[in-house]
Each structure stands twice: as structure tokens, then as C-alpha cells.
Amino acid sequence: MLECLSFADVHVHFREPGFTAKETILTGTRAAARGGYTIVCPMPNLSPVPDSPETLALEQAAIDRDAVVRVLPYCSITMGRKGLELVDFAALKGRCVAFSDDGSGVQKEGVMLAAMQAAAREDVIIAAHCEDDSLPGTDPRSEWGQIERDLRLCEQTGCHYHVCHISTKESVHLIREAKARGVNVTCETAPHYLTLCDRDVLDDGRFRMNPPLRTAADREALIEGLKDGTIDVIATDHAPHTAEEKSRGFAGSAMGIVGLETAFPVLYTRLVRGGRISLERLVDAMTSAPRRIFRLPDTPQDKVLIDLDTPFTIDSATFASKGHSTPFDHWPVYGRIVKTILNGTVIYE
Ligand code: DOR
Ligand code: ZN
Ligand code: ZN
């Protein structure tokens, strides 16, 4: 049995307000508790987009009403996530954990430069989904080309730039070099990029997400990046959709898979028991690193108890999330979450 600080996920999608057939604050936070998480940060691709104190207040009201774990929402970088006009960073600072247009990349360099200048001035984090819309998303350059651009802007402005869900070997390389130069950059990857590759893809919506699964060489570079600290954080990009939206085969299904209820067992089984990284490194990337980097509330009374020794099989039918689409269904794993404790109170057992 392992007892440690609870997990914190700086990248989830809870779909409320706007898309509550996919997930709600209640079901998303129940899934978090079931996965050993007590802090989660939902992305702003919602309706309305939290891009002002007024629209953010609608999401915050649902959080205040229904959340069973700590929820610290993102605000968007641009109004309506349209990539054109910046939000009022000063007005939103302190009400959200960071700023992201997740779901889309910020296409215009001038807009990203202005966003980073504002973020540096206000001392807030820009968390970037990197995807160049002029290239196919399957082209790895769509991701790393935008990271390369942003690292240059980050160096110019000095803001804290966090790269979401990196998936390519070039992204790892660029961020490693930038960190060595002292650039103020951090990054995350997700469990599926560390454990799967394009050869695993079946014609099934369970394998459809953005960025897509890349090559085995990319997966290996990500594991190396996690090992040497280039990758700071593991975040799930928990992205639930309805069963119908995920039932249209690989090409036709909505992009996104659920991740909160499988992250630790999958990573512990594949990476730690598989001899690739230490348990300490995995736990740091899921507990202390996200708290430190995103200045999340220090919550020593938030704990998770994990059974490391009893094998079990992942069964998506048992998920608390409304989303059940995962490439890890039926995987034999170790690392069942036995208990999740929030501020001294058991919230999942
Ligand atoms: O797979 C994804 N799902 N990638 C994204 O960028 C958005 C997310 C979602 O909101 O479903
Ligand atoms: Zn994204
Ligand atoms: Zn996302």
C-alpha cells in the first residue's frame, strides 16, 4: 500500500457550462476522486467561454454548487477562444488558475506575443495547446513548429509559458534546449502518449484524440523527457464525449478520451513496473510538480491510498465519468486507488 499526496490534474475538460451531455462538474469531479485526484483544472472550451468575470462566474457557480474536489478553472487567452482579441488578464487574474485557448492553437504570432506580454506583466501562466492550422494535425510539425515560435516569444517576454500535452520527440528536444538556456517554460504530457503509439491504433473512436498518437520513437522520447525532467507534469487531458460521438469509428469520432480514472494504474503498470521510470518520478509528476508549477493551494491533508500489489482489469463501465471511451479498457493493471482524502475527509473509498 502506498500513501502519498493526492494527484493534481492541470488539464481536464468538464463540459459545464455548455456541453453537459458529455460531462458535468459533478460527474467530472467524482471521476477525479475515483482516480485519486483532489485538484483539477478544467479547460475553457465551454459555452459560454470563460473569457470575462461574468462568463467565468457561470462556471464558478456550477463549481461552487457541485464540485466534490477542488476545481480551479482556466480562462481563455482570447475572447471566445477565437484567437483575435485578448481577454482582460488583469480582471481575471486571481479568479482562474491560468490562461489557455485549449482545443485550438493561437494561430497569429502577434496575438501570442501580446498575450505573453500581458501574462508577464500580470505574472500569470499561458498554457498553450500547440497546433498550426495551416498543417494537418497529423504532421508533427503542426505541434513543434508552434512550440518553436512560442519559445522565441517566451524568451522575449519572460512570461511563464506552459506547453500542454506534448506528443512529439521534436517538442521534447526544443523544450529541453530552451530549459537549458534558462527560458521560463514548463510542459506536460498525457498517459496515452507515454504508453501508446500509432501502431496501437484500431478503427475505433477510443483511439481518436488531438494531438494524435505518434510513433514509437516519439513515445520513447517522451519517456526520456519525463525521466530527465524536461517534462514536468503528467496531465490527463480528460476529454469526455457522448457514446454516440465516440461510436463513429476512428475517422468519424469526436476527438478526446477520458483519463482521470485510469492515469495512475496505466502509468504505474507500464512505466514503473515496466522498469522505465521510478515510482518517485511518477508520483512527483502527478502530485508535487503540478502544485509547484501552477501554484496550486498547498494541501498536505489531501491524500491518496493506493494498492500497488493486487492486479485488476480496467473496466470503463465502472467509471464515474459520463465518458467511457478509453484505449485502456480491459487492460490488466496494478495500482488501484483505494481511498482519496480531501482535507482529511474520505471522498472516495
Ligand atoms: O482530444 C482533444 N479533446 N483535444 C483537444 O484539443 C480538445 C479536447 C476536447 O475538448 O475534447
Ligand atoms: Zn489541447
Ligand atoms: Zn485539452
Side-chain angles (χ1 to χ4, degrees), residues 272 277-285 287:
V272 178
I277 64 166
S278 68
L279 179 59
E280 292 65 37
R281 183 73 201 97
L282 175 61
V283 167
D284 178 73
T287 60

Side-chain angles (χ1 to χ4, degrees), residues 11 13 43 102-103 165 237:
H11 192 141
H13 296 269
M43 283 295 179
D102 187 50
H165 48 55
D237 201 2

Side-chain angles (χ1 to χ4, degrees), residues 64-315:
D64 294 343
R65 190 183 66 232
D66 288 337
V68 304
V69 301
R70 305 173 200 272
V71 179
L72 303 172
Y74 280 87
C75 285
S76 59
I77 296 170
T78 63
M79 296 306 291
R81 290 179 52 256
K82 292 183 196 304
L84 299 173
E85 187 196 340
L86 294 187
V87 301
D88 183 344
F89 284 79
L92 293 166
K93 175 187 177 176
R95 301 178 201 236
C96 61
V97 68
F99 294 81
S100 180
D101 271 3
D102 187 50
S104 330
V106 175
Q107 302 303 311
K108 290 179 185 297
E109 177 167 335
V111 171
M112 190 51 123
L113 175 61
M116 287 195 189
Q117 285 167 335
R121 186 166 57 238
E122 300 300 334
D123 189 24
V124 296
I125 302 171
I126 297 283
H129 167 120
C130 289
E131 181 177 8
D132 180 341
D133 290 346
S134 72
L135 299 168
T138 49
D139 183 342
R141 191 185 189 111
S142 168
E143 174 176 305
W144 67 255
Q146 203 159 78
I147 295 176
E148 191 173 50
R149 176 199 76 181
D150 287 356
L151 287 170
R152 193 161 36 77
L153 304 178
C154 175
E155 212 159 357
Q156 262 174 57
T157 56
C159 87
H160 180 171
Y161 172 60
H162 177 83
V163 192
C164 297
H165 48 55
I166 69 167
S167 66
T168 79
K169 56 184 185 304
E170 293 88 352
S171 307
V172 176
H173 179 75
L174 284 165
I175 293 166
R176 182 181 288 123
E177 300 285 296
K179 283 186 167 186
R181 291 199 302 278
V183 179
N184 191 7
V185 57
T186 56
C187 70
E188 71 194 35
T189 192
H192 39 287
Y193 305 118
L194 291 163
T195 55
L196 297 168
C197 70
D198 52 5
R199 291 193 308 242
D200 299 309
V201 173
L202 304 173
D203 184 11
D204 186 318
R206 296 186 297 120
F207 295 87
R208 179 82 166 162
M209 76 290 288
N210 185 26
L213 296 174
R214 310 278 187 189
T215 68
D218 292 301
R219 183 195 60 205
E220 292 307 295
L222 291 166
I223 295 171
E224 284 308 312
L226 178 62
K227 233 164 123 172
D228 73 12
T230 301
I231 297 174
D232 304 274
V233 170
I234 298 171
T236 63
D237 201 2
H238 176 86
H241 295 285
T242 64
E244 192 283 316
E245 289 164 330
K246 295 298 287 181
S247 70
R248 306 178 204 134
F250 180 80
S253 288
M255 292 195 281
I257 57 168
V258 293
L260 285 166
E261 295 170 80
T262 54
F264 183 83
V266 163
L267 293 167
Y268 170 68
T269 304
R270 281 301 180 97
L271 300 187
V272 178
R273 286 183 85 104
R276 305 302 307 274
I277 64 166
S278 68
L279 179 59
E280 292 65 37
R281 183 73 201 97
L282 175 61
V283 167
D284 178 73
M286 295 180 71
T287 60
S288 306
R291 283 176 173 81
R292 185 174 66 242
I293 288 168
F294 282 79
R295 301 183 215 166
L296 304 176
D298 187 30
T299 52
Q301 302 284 65
D302 287 13
K303 299 273 187 198
V304 59
L305 193 70
I306 307 167
D307 177 353
L308 296 179
D309 302 315
T310 312
F312 71 102
T313 303
I314 290 174
D315 177 4

